[in-house]
Amino acid sequence: MWKWESTKADAVFVIVHGAGEHHQRYAWLIEQLNTNGCHVVTGDLPGQGKTRGKRGHISSFTQYMDTITGWYEEAASYRLPVFLLGHSMGGLAVIRTMMEKKLDVHGVILSSPCLGLVNPPSKSKDVAARVLHRVTPTLRAKSGINSALATRNEQVREAYVKDEMRVSKVSIRWYQELVKAMKIANRSTEAFPDVPLLVLQAGDDHIVDKFAVERWFNQVQLSDKSYKEWDQLYHEVFNEPERDEVFRLTKSFIELRK
């Protein structure tokens, strides 16, 4: 767990990264939040970044939820309004955490949350994975994450390819846990608590199924929710050339709900 403190904080942000990456890829966003009066608490999810254990593997999605809860508890210790921000798989993990833990937050922001995949494995591979994950759960295969499909930002693409901490292979158990988490999130929308929600969805997302995200958003019954689809932006909206515009909307959401 890491913390970045603002000299004029009146809120705290917990950032949850996506699959195959780590918290250091959010340096620009952390700087923006600090400059705008928010402490930031974040870290690397199990099996990612600098964490111990087998890379690209989890035994249960609960490991992600427990980790996020720990980060939230640290954020709550500041006695300031707390916001959760999850990107892609991290967005799915935030959804599942809120469903199970009902954390006391002032708002949730989801960036291209993983509620469906644009290119899921073939049916035959999926069937094989369902069998193999019980026999050899740590067996790994390529994740299929392509930096060229994640963002149009050339600098970010190049940095990701050279990043020694990126995870390019995931275990069969990891994939099965991801699929199970998506199914629960989509069929149990009533379990998501009534907290302010902002969804920032890439309009040209080649990784996450944007239509699945929109369906989920329309199904959650909340008194305060907003959905913004950014035309032509790729999956990582906070890394895109238009990220200043994306952050301005995020900032407005925060300011109105502190």
Side-chain angles (χ1 to χ4, degrees):
M1 183 190 306
W2 287 267
K3 296 185 289 185
W4 286 263
E5 296 186 341
S6 171
T7 57
K8 52 180 180 179
D10 56 6
V12 190
F13 251 81
V14 175
I15 297 177
V16 185
H17 67 78
E21 54 170 1
H22 51 86
H23 78 281
Q24 292 181 16
R25 296 192 74 238
Y26 292 77
W28 179 86
L29 180 57
I30 291 170
E31 182 181 1
Q32 299 306 307
L33 289 168
N34 279 172
T35 300
N36 286 275
C38 296
H39 294 323
V40 176
V41 176
T42 186
D44 297 335
L45 292 171
Q48 314 282 324
K50 294 183 177 180
T51 57
R52 296 177 181 178
K54 193 171 182 65
R55 290 170 65 77
H57 173 71
I58 52 171
S59 299
S60 169
F61 209 80
T62 301
Q63 291 174 254
Y64 289 158
M65 294 187 274
D66 290 344
T67 299
I68 293 169
T69 301
W71 296 345
Y72 162 79
E73 290 172 350
E74 183 65 28
S77 69
Y78 284 105
R79 307 295 182 187
L80 294 170
V82 177
F83 293 83
L84 292 184
L85 188 156
H87 170 67
S88 195
M89 184 204 71
L92 174 62
V94 165
I95 291 171
R96 291 291 297 116
T97 302
M98 291 301 297
M99 285 179 164
E100 298 294 329
K101 309 289 187 178
K102 316 294 185 189
L103 302 181
D104 183 16
V105 299
H106 276 61
V108 170
I109 299 171
L110 304 174
S111 163
S112 302
C114 187
L115 290 157
L117 299 173
V118 171
N119 293 306
S122 65
K123 188 172 182 180
S124 60
K125 288 183 179 179
D126 185 58
V127 171
R130 274 184 275 166
V131 174
L132 287 172
H133 93 97
R134 301 181 186 280
V135 182
T136 56
T138 61
L139 179 66
R140 297 190 303 163
K142 290 183 178 180
S143 66
I145 297 174
N146 185 339
S147 63
L149 299 179
T151 177
R152 292 144 54 228
N153 187 321
E154 290 293 343
Q155 283 186 313
V156 173
R157 284 182 180 181
E158 291 176 9
Y160 183 75
V161 171
K162 297 175 182 177
D163 191 346
E164 294 182 354
M165 286 194 293
R166 68 187 175 98
V167 173
S168 58
K169 291 185 177 182
V170 294
S171 71
I172 294 175
R173 174 65 56 81
W174 178 90
Y175 176 69
Q176 288 303 309
E177 288 297 305
L178 176 76
V179 170
K180 184 167 70 173
M182 287 192 292
K183 287 180 179 178
I184 295 172
N186 281 301
R187 73 169 180 246
S188 304
T189 53
E190 74 285 351
F192 193 86
D194 190 11
V195 299
L197 171 70
L198 172 63
V199 175
L200 305 169
Q201 177 57 46
D204 195 8
D205 202 324
H206 298 277
I207 297 174
V208 160
D209 181 357
K210 68 177 185 179
F211 300 108
V213 176
E214 187 174 11
R215 284 194 299 271
W216 179 87
F217 176 83
N218 289 334
Q219 289 171 5
V220 288
Q221 300 298 309
L222 307 178
S223 54
D224 180 1
K225 64 176 185 176
S226 301
Y227 181 94
K228 172 63 176 178
E229 183 175 312
W230 301 85
D231 292 340
Q232 300 182 348
L233 267 65
Y234 279 17
H235 183 61
E236 296 181 352
V237 295
F238 283 110
N239 278 332
E240 286 291 81
E242 300 84 356
R243 63 186 180 182
D244 287 322
E245 185 180 350
V246 177
F247 184 76
R248 279 195 292 272
L249 179 58
T250 304
K251 180 182 176 182
S252 297
F253 176 84
I254 300 166
E255 292 295 333
L256 291 172
R257 293 161 182 85
K258 285 182 179 177

